[in-house]
Amino acid sequence: MVDKDILQHICTAIETPDPDETVKAVEKAVDFGVAPLEIVGALTDGITTLGDKFERMECFLPELILGADAMDVSMKLLKPKMEELNLETGPAGTVVISNIQGDIHDIGRDIVVTMLRVAGYQVEDMGHDVKPNLMIDKALECDADIIAVSTLLTTSLPFAREVLRLLDARGLSGKFKVVMGGGAVTPEYCEEIGAGYGDNAAAAVKLVKELIDGGDSK
Ligand code: B12
């Protein structure tokens, strides 16, 4: 019950958005021993609600930026805790990940990167706004197993598809498995272009594990 109140406090603080209050609430949750992934869940719920308000024009970009700042500082606090989680160690495997061209929404990708690393994968994090060809170059350079694309922007979706098209054009189809996630991506879209889909960071780990273990292409 106490945990539930603390998590609700985090959610409300980021939704407001009040970065100082969010960080205080996160610190309190950590002190009370609330599981880091539950805290991430509360932060995600709060910022998603803020995004919904933005969409309905009930708040504006400066508020969205404040919410993102609150999320950013909170994740910096939580990252070491998440890294201590020591989830099941996955098989050796390398993932190249970025937010695709045009998209700078780092927060979700950052969580996916942390969770993949915790699960034992080598992750080459290329950051945000990365051109499709550069992702492929990096995957070749580090002999990756998986190319993971994140995008929250509908306008960046064509660049996500471009990864698959360029792999084909460069004679590399089947060399790397491609997975995608982020709010703009749907399972149907991934099915259509031939990529794997993951709804959240836990699903991303599961997907990567299945693809590397199972050897099932895309
Ligand atoms: C925070 C935020 C911002 C911040 C980003 C700060 C940062 N450094 O990341 C700021 C304020 C900068 C911003 C800017 C903009 N934003 Co914005 N933003 C958001 C918001 C509110 C939250 C995103 C977030 O962090 N969510 C929390 C994280 C944890 O969730 P997540 O990113 O979805 O990630 C999870 C999963 O999707 C999944 N996942 C993510 N990546 C991957 C990858 C793989 C491979 C897998 C398997 C899984 C996976 O796992 C993650 C963890 O569980 C969303 C609203 C929303 N509902 O998403 C809008 C939203 C994404 N933004 C939107 C818009 C329009 C913009 C702007 C164009 C606004 C403007 N007018 O300038 C700009 C564009 C900037 C750009 N070029 O990218 C729209 C996009 C609409 C669309 N469909 O295209 C949204 C949906 C808001 C809305 N409802 O209108 N934004």
Side-chain angles (χ1 to χ4, degrees):
M1 188 60 197
V2 176
D3 281 11
K4 213 176 146 205
D5 290 346
I6 295 176
L7 292 172
Q8 185 55 52
H9 185 188
I10 292 172
C11 191
T12 310
I14 195 161
E15 185 192 323
T16 300
D18 184 338
D20 290 344
E21 196 56 35
T22 307
V23 171
K24 270 192 225 156
V26 168
E27 281 171 342
K28 188 172 168 194
V30 171
D31 288 347
F32 270 73
V34 180
L37 289 181
E38 287 202 48
I39 303 176
V40 173
L43 286 164
T44 303
D45 287 349
I47 199 141
T48 303
T49 309
L50 186 63
D52 292 344
K53 283 189 190 168
F54 176 74
E55 198 172 8
R56 294 195 300 269
M57 292 172 72
E58 289 167 16
C59 76
F60 299 96
L61 197 54
E63 278 126 309
L64 212 56
I65 293 170
L66 266 186
D69 286 350
M71 188 85 189
D72 192 41
V73 181
S74 302
M75 286 311 300
K76 285 199 174 95
L77 273 171
L78 289 173
K79 228 183 213 177
K81 300 279 162 206
M82 288 169 76
E83 282 162 0
E84 280 165 18
L85 281 177
N86 234 344
L87 294 181
E88 187 189 339
T89 302
T94 302
V95 181
V96 168
I97 189 167
S98 80
N99 285 91
I100 203 68
Q101 190 170 345
D103 185 13
I104 64 158
H105 291 88
D106 299 292
I107 297 167
R109 186 198 78 248
D110 211 33
I111 297 173
V112 172
V113 168
T114 304
M115 293 283 285
L116 284 171
R117 286 187 177 144
V118 166
Y121 295 94
Q122 172 79 31
V123 183
E124 295 291 331
D125 182 4
M126 297 183 74
H128 61 226
D129 189 17
V130 177
K131 290 193 167 59
N133 250 329
L134 294 184
M135 289 198 82
I136 297 173
D137 291 346
K138 176 58 86 179
L140 284 170
E141 183 193 313
C142 64
D143 194 22
D145 301 280
I146 307 258
I147 296 178
V149 175
S150 178
T151 183
L152 277 76
L153 287 184
T154 313
T155 46
S156 283
L157 277 181
F159 301 114
R161 180 191 286 264
E162 188 69 356
V163 173
L164 277 305
R165 197 196 63 78
L166 286 171
L167 280 172
D168 197 30
R170 290 172 67 169
L172 296 168
S173 276
K175 179 157 177 61
F176 310 107
K177 284 142 192 170
V178 180
V179 300
M180 297 189 182
V185 185
T186 62
E188 293 75 24
Y189 179 80
C190 287
E191 170 93 44
E192 186 196 324
I193 67 173
Y197 171 77
D199 189 32
N200 54 44
V205 173
K206 192 164 171 265
L207 184 61
V208 163
K209 189 172 163 46
E210 277 167 10
L211 288 173
I212 292 181
D213 273 356
D216 179 23
S217 184
K218 290 156 218 162

